[in-house]
Amino acid sequence: PFYMKPAECQKGIGGMYVTGYDEKEDRVMSKSGQSFAFDDFISRTINYANSAYYRKEAGFLFQKIVRQHQDIIDFSGTEVPCGFRITVLNDVVEPILHRVRWKLVAKGNTNDNFSNGKSGNIVVLVDVGTGKISDGLNDNWPYATYCQSHPETGRSFADFTIPLWDK
């Protein structure tokens, strides 16, 4: 298994979590349960057209599947990696960890792209000092709703701390 995505793109366009290849049938299988004829797979990924957000000439990244901490799997209800967006301020003396957003993947999704709330994924803020998380946000203003617990697992955001945050 591997995850592939354009090196330069936005909104998760052209990304795919590939779980296998059936050589006999010449089909690629995805984490979402779909399978594609190899030529169709290439059309949906590397040869994706009609998007201002994707530059084919920038190339593609192929990545091993990251196994996230079991506590995160239990909290989020998915093995699909939930990414962190980390903002670091480059001070004159030293870098300062300023803000961390955690993008929680919704069931059935294969990437953490928020897509302005359209993907179903949720965003929370992480307290940079403690690793505790805020309530979840499911969209952008003015359509956003705060969630006090994960909509799929029912786990409370207030009771969760990112594992190994102090490390």
Side-chain angles (χ1 to χ4, degrees), residues 32-77:
S32 63
Q34 297 174 299
S35 78
F36 306 96
F38 189 78
D39 290 342
D40 187 29
F41 163 72
I42 295 298
S43 295
R44 291 171 180 264
T45 57
I46 295 171
N47 288 339
Y48 187 82
N50 302 325
S51 174
Y53 298 108
Y54 169 50
R55 286 194 31 219
K56 180 179 177 178
E57 63 274 12
F60 247 77
L61 299 172
F62 294 84
Q63 304 168 316
K64 286 182 174 181
I65 300 301
V66 174
R67 172 127 170 101
Q68 57 192 359
H69 195 281
Q70 187 62 48
D71 290 351
I72 292 177
I73 294 170
D74 294 343
F75 182 82
S76 67

Side-chain angles (χ1 to χ4, degrees), residues 9-48:
C9 191
Q10 295 177 28
K11 301 187 178 202
I13 294 169
M16 188 175 292
Y17 189 133
V18 176
T19 57
Y21 173 70
D22 182 333
E23 186 174 356
K24 185 177 179 183
E25 299 292 326
D26 194 28
R27 296 189 73 79
V28 176
M29 282 74 73
S30 74
K31 176 83 170 166
S32 63
Q34 297 174 299
S35 78
F36 306 96
F38 189 78
D39 290 342
D40 187 29
F41 163 72
I42 295 298
S43 295
R44 291 171 180 264
T45 57
I46 295 171
N47 288 339
Y48 187 82

Side-chain angles (χ1 to χ4, degrees), residues 85-88 96-101 125-134 162 165-167:
R85 177 73 49 94
I86 301 171
T87 304
V88 177
I96 299 169
L97 182 58
H98 174 64
R99 181 178 301 142
V100 177
R101 288 186 298 157
L125 292 177
V126 179
D127 182 298
V128 298
T130 66
K132 296 209 54 80
I133 61 174
S134 70
I162 304 297
W165 187 258
D166 59 335
K167 305 278 185 268

Side-chain angles (χ1 to χ4, degrees), residues 151-167:
E152 293 162 20
T153 65
R155 301 273 306 266
S156 168
F157 289 117
D159 295 336
F160 190 77
T161 300
I162 304 297
L164 307 174
W165 187 258
D166 59 335
K167 305 278 185 268

Side-chain angles (χ1 to χ4, degrees), residues 87-120:
T87 304
V88 177
L89 302 177
N90 290 314
D91 187 34
V92 176
V93 178
E94 64 182 10
I96 299 169
L97 182 58
H98 174 64
R99 181 178 301 142
V100 177
R101 288 186 298 157
W102 187 29
K103 301 181 292 178
L104 292 158
V105 179
K107 187 176 183 177
N109 287 347
T110 58
N111 71 55
D112 65 2
N113 190 275
F114 187 57
S115 281
N116 299 322
K118 294 180 184 89
S119 67

